[in-house]
Amino acid sequence: MKILNRLTIKHLLMNKKRTIVTIIGITLSMALMLGCGLLASSFIEQMRRDTIESVGSHHVNFENVNYDQANIIKNNINVENSYFYSTLGFANFTDSINEGKPYFYIAGANDKLLSSLKLSEGRLPENDSEVVISEHIIYNGGKEIQVGDMLSLEIGSRYQEGEEVFENVEYLDKERDYIKDSISKKYQVVGKMKRSYLEDYHAAGYTIFTKINDYVQKPANYVLVEFYKPKRTFEIGKEIKETLSLKNNDIDYNDRLLYYYGTTRYSNVNHAILSVLSIALSLLSIGCIIVIYNSFAISTMERKKQFGLYSSIGATKKQILHTVFFEAFLVGTIGIILGIAGSFLGIYTVLQILNYLLKNIWQYEFSLVINWTFILVPIAFMILVVFFSAFIPARRSSRVTPIVAIRENDDIKMPKRKLKTPKFITKLFGIEGELALKNMKRNKKKYRITVLSLFVSIVLFISFSAYITYGVSTMNSVDYYDMDITIGAYEKGKLEEIRKDPRFSSTYLYMTDYITLQVPFTNYVDEYLDYRKERISPYEKEDYLQVDLFVFSDEEFQNYATSVNASKNDIIFINEGQITRYNDGNRKSYHGNLLKEMPNEFSVCQLNSSGEDYDCSLRDFNLVDRDQVPITFQYLKYSSFPSAFISKSKYEELFQNFHLEKQEQPFYILHANSSEYETIYQELKDKAKTDNYNVSSPKMELKEQKNALLAIKILLYGFISLVTLIGVTSVFNTIHTSINLRRKEFAMLRSMGLSPSGFNKMILFESLFFGLKSLLYGLPVSFGVILLIHNNMVTLIDSGKILIPWNAIFIACFGVFTVVLLAMVYSVHKIKKENILEAIRDENI
């Protein structure tokens, strides 16, 4: 057995090129499989940490539970950790500059929840006379409070529509939303914190936390829990809800965090993600299997004569199998070790690039996380692939009789009838093309391996390009902001003054309002009709359509109307939006028109604070294409409500009296673009607190989002490059070895007078034949895979139509001929220069 092992090593050394290419194929396959696992485990852990920092570590929040219910939840056997806070009351915030947040919301929390808050200054409260306040009070509410100050608050119960509410929900108005039964309470401010994830952006009160040791007796407790098994969160949460007879809105799942534990309440999301991953992993696995199998199939094919000689001098089938397994062990061990090292080095490098590109987005840096499941499974998979890739061709070769193996004619099948070739082959490629075609028909095994390698490469490249096409299409929404700076204020004069800055290249100053247009139900598209029924609030009418109305000056409106060829002067309507529905355990997004057709007339009804309607008639309006929204308003195409633009004079004619009667103050917004937006933004930000306006820079936020998109694209294109490299390696290995196995055949043809130009014709014909044959099989299968991807992705997003990666298909069509031709030209280059007699006698390749 030792002598056979030495001969195997000698064979590998004498055929260094094929050995190296085989090792490269195994290395790349191992690196890709293991790299996917390392990247997945690192990304999941990173997203968990970042999500916990943003929305907390709890799995579910039980809201508005009483004292007894809170204790039952806390003592549940499935609960690992519990955090709680209780509503102690609301206090009027008379100095608030934000009309939508006129309250302080005072919450008492235990030490565990307090420790989850992000302090920016000072310390956490240690008793119920100390508080930590949100910085949001200062920069959004306009009240300067320092650590060490004393707060004197009149804390009472909050009522909406005459009923007490404990939640920090959206503000209605002075008539329907008020506080009563107040008592005086003094607190010392001991710390400041970042805005808490427990304070919704639409909340009416700025959150203030103090310390309490136990739940309050009234139904104002909130229990945040972490379960031992996060994947069972929805199951356990449902059991607790039914046991305590809680309402659906009394249980709030931390969906963002649970998603990274591998669970979601939306069944179609689970199904789609699992299906998409299954397709990707199946393609990847099949590609790796065929790449490695082809390498050993070619190896055993070229050693068949050698095996015949071994058998003729007494080697058994078992010994021949051992010889092949020994070769597989050598190249497999080297390839797997190099693949493991390469994957760790590659993923570490990728993570460092991500940290550089996304340094201002994530709370933490990416770090290499080792999940042994994601490491051991790929290694075990590769070992099995190498074993079976060697076993199948070796077992087939060991069954061939020694005389047949030595003669090497079992692969060539001579049919009883004469082989026929199409006449056009002879006309285009001469007798050389006819010889090549007949040779391939007689020796189908060798050319099938080449076609199979090309077929797999085509399918992998196009399929993973489809993943990129769908993935990037879902991320294009980061481009919907086309403004550099946006400033909002109740005083129009301040914005007019800011607008005069000569550094601005373009500006839009408008007044925003929310009106409700009466539209018959028959006009809604089905998706929006269902969405409205799900989201209708008690203060809205079901047969009304809410519209975001933007008021331009007469001059600006006229300029815009002219630019979009609007013939009527009342209103310009944007009939487009994006909605996401959650129902029946499914999540579905829709982007497109919201109305089937535009009615001839709108009855305009603005719902005011008392619920009364203000009616007027609107007939002259224009409907513009989705690509004709004004500059700096691209984001409106992704709003969940239709949008409209109206001139100031027409707005005053329709609505001004209403505003004067109700004493509602309009809000103005300035959109501006400038090449110096970063400098201007910083200047405006410094003045915002004293001048009572808010400012943001979508361009700066967009820069970080684009970096995130760039990072994802780098990952995706790096992945597909590695997949393509594996395919090209397989094709090169197959063609190179196949050509070398035919050295005697080519030498005999040359000895019979085959000219160099005739030889080139043969190579060209075979290249075209391999390319066309592989495309004939590869393209239909690729389209089938694209359809599978679409059918699964369409359950999550509304893509409108199948997204076919045409660029990838064209590249694949062109690339397959290029790769085949280059591989064949490279392989025959030395053959042309060889001595004919030595080529016929030489046994080594």
Side-chain angles (χ1 to χ4, degrees), residues 367-585:
S367 58
L368 188 62
V369 176
I370 297 177
N371 185 317
W372 287 107
T373 300
F374 290 158
I375 293 177
L376 296 178
V377 170
I379 293 175
F381 172 78
M382 289 303 300
I383 291 173
L384 289 174
V385 168
V386 171
F387 173 81
F388 284 105
S389 297
F391 174 75
I392 295 173
R395 187 181 181 187
R396 188 181 298 123
S397 297
S398 65
R399 292 176 176 176
V400 180
T401 60
I403 188 65
V404 172
I406 293 172
R407 293 173 60 188
E408 293 184 313
N409 63 352
D410 63 315
D411 291 330
I412 300 176
K413 306 298 181 183
M414 301 296 294
K416 294 181 180 180
R417 58 185 177 83
K418 181 180 179 182
L419 283 175
K420 294 183 179 181
T421 57
K423 292 183 179 180
F424 74 89
I425 296 295
T426 306
K427 288 183 179 180
L428 291 175
F429 298 95
I431 188 65
E432 296 85 359
E434 185 178 351
L435 285 173
L437 182 58
K438 286 183 176 181
N439 177 68
M440 286 188 285
K441 286 186 175 183
R442 294 189 185 101
N443 193 2
K444 292 183 178 181
K445 286 185 179 179
K446 290 181 181 178
Y447 99 80
R448 279 176 182 169
I449 292 176
T450 303
V451 172
L452 183 61
S453 295
L454 289 166
F455 163 78
V456 171
S457 301
I458 292 169
V459 174
L460 286 176
F461 181 77
I462 295 177
S463 299
F464 283 105
S465 295
Y467 277 112
I468 291 178
T469 301
Y470 275 92
V472 171
S473 71
T474 62
M475 295 182 285
N476 283 338
S477 59
V478 300
D479 288 323
Y480 60 58
Y481 284 116
D482 59 342
M483 69 193 83
D484 295 338
I485 296 175
T486 178
I487 309 108
Y490 286 102
E491 297 181 30
K492 183 180 178 183
K494 288 186 177 181
L495 299 186
E496 290 281 12
E497 184 180 346
I498 294 173
R499 190 182 192 182
K500 295 177 182 178
D501 192 322
R503 292 174 294 178
F504 289 131
S505 57
S506 62
T507 59
Y508 263 107
L509 176 61
Y510 63 92
M511 184 176 74
T512 181
D513 208 341
Y514 298 96
I515 64 172
T516 304
L517 301 179
Q518 186 174 356
V519 180
F521 265 155
T522 54
N523 281 343
Y524 292 112
V525 296
D526 294 339
E527 291 85 354
Y528 196 66
L529 176 60
D530 294 337
Y531 174 79
R532 285 283 295 163
K533 287 182 178 179
E534 293 169 6
R535 294 300 183 96
I536 196 75
S537 75
Y539 312 110
E540 293 181 281
K541 296 185 178 181
E542 290 188 359
D543 56 347
Y544 283 12
L545 173 67
Q546 179 176 318
V547 175
D548 293 338
L549 185 66
F550 301 91
V551 184
F552 285 176
S553 68
D554 291 352
E555 180 182 0
E556 286 177 331
F557 181 84
Q558 188 58 49
N559 291 337
Y560 173 51
T562 303
S563 68
V564 296
N565 297 319
S567 59
K568 301 173 182 178
N569 297 322
D570 276 3
I571 190 170
I572 299 176
F573 198 92
I574 309 294
N575 180 24
E576 183 180 8
Q578 179 168 297
I579 57 177
T580 302
R581 295 178 53 212
Y582 300 89
N583 67 328
D584 300 328

Side-chain angles (χ1 to χ4, degrees), residues 91-92 104 149-155 184-187:
N92 284 311
F104 290 120
D149 290 351
M150 295 297 295
L151 285 180
S152 296
L153 303 177
E154 296 294 324
I155 302 174
S184 298
K185 177 71 176 178
K186 288 187 177 182
Y187 293 102

